[in-house]
Amino acid sequence: MMPAFPPPPEGLDALLRAALRGDDRAYGAFLREAARALRAFAARRAPAAPGFDPEDLVQEILMAVHAKRHTWRQEEPVAPWLFAIARHKAVDAYRRHGRRLEIDIAEFAEILASPAAEAVPTPKDVARAVDSLDGRQRAVVASISVEGRSIGETAEKLKITEGAVRVAFHRGLAAIAARFGSQ
């Protein structure tokens, strides 16, 4: 479903065509009419950030329209082109000002003050996790995690490529996490 945009004023296409032929009055009229249509868009799409005014978004869109006016295909309606630029500028505004949720950290003081004690795995737990793996994964995870070898040393020891070591290591860790992660 296409988003509902305010209908562009009649004659907006003709105004921009005349402006592109050098008619300054037509260009002024085009910008005024486009700004009117864009204000409704900006009121709905502007970031709800402190200090951000939807009119700032309208001005950014109009500057982009001015800079890109030569890209409009005169045989096409101007509204889709205009609102495509508007959507891109709204996305840019969200990236800069985005919606931010502000929470007073004092509300979480008790939770932050007493972090939950994490269970530190024992050597027996580590051995059980490594032993749960098959063949190459077991050898790679043991070599890197238990014996402390590098990827290169492990590859040389097992006579496989470093890429194969990385793949086996990551898959082995994923298998361990799947088996023992929720305990």
Side-chain angles (χ1 to χ4, degrees), residues 80-148:
W81 173 82
L82 179 67
F83 286 108
I85 292 172
R87 282 190 305 276
H88 289 336
K89 287 300 170 183
V91 167
D92 290 346
Y94 269 101
R95 286 182 181 140
R96 283 191 312 274
H97 304 286
R99 293 184 180 178
R100 292 185 177 93
L101 179 61
E102 295 183 17
I103 300 173
D104 185 6
I105 197 162
E107 295 176 27
F108 298 95
E110 289 179 21
I111 296 169
L112 296 174
S114 59
E118 291 187 26
V120 177
T122 66
K124 187 176 180 179
D125 294 333
V126 173
R128 188 173 68 128
V130 172
D131 288 343
S132 72
L133 299 173
D134 293 324
R136 182 185 286 180
Q137 287 180 356
R138 180 186 307 136
V140 168
V141 171
S143 177
I144 294 171
S145 297
V146 178
E147 298 166 12

Side-chain angles (χ1 to χ4, degrees), residues 37-60:
L38 291 169
R39 281 189 183 94
F41 170 88
R44 289 191 315 274
R45 301 290 174 103
F52 188 83
D53 183 359
E55 188 63 27
D56 293 341
L57 178 58
V58 171
Q59 294 306 313
E60 286 182 40

Side-chain angles (χ1 to χ4, degrees), residues 7 16 21 28 30 44 65 108-109 119 134:
L16 186 53
R21 287 191 305 269
F30 167 78
R44 289 191 315 274
V65 165
F108 298 95
D134 293 324

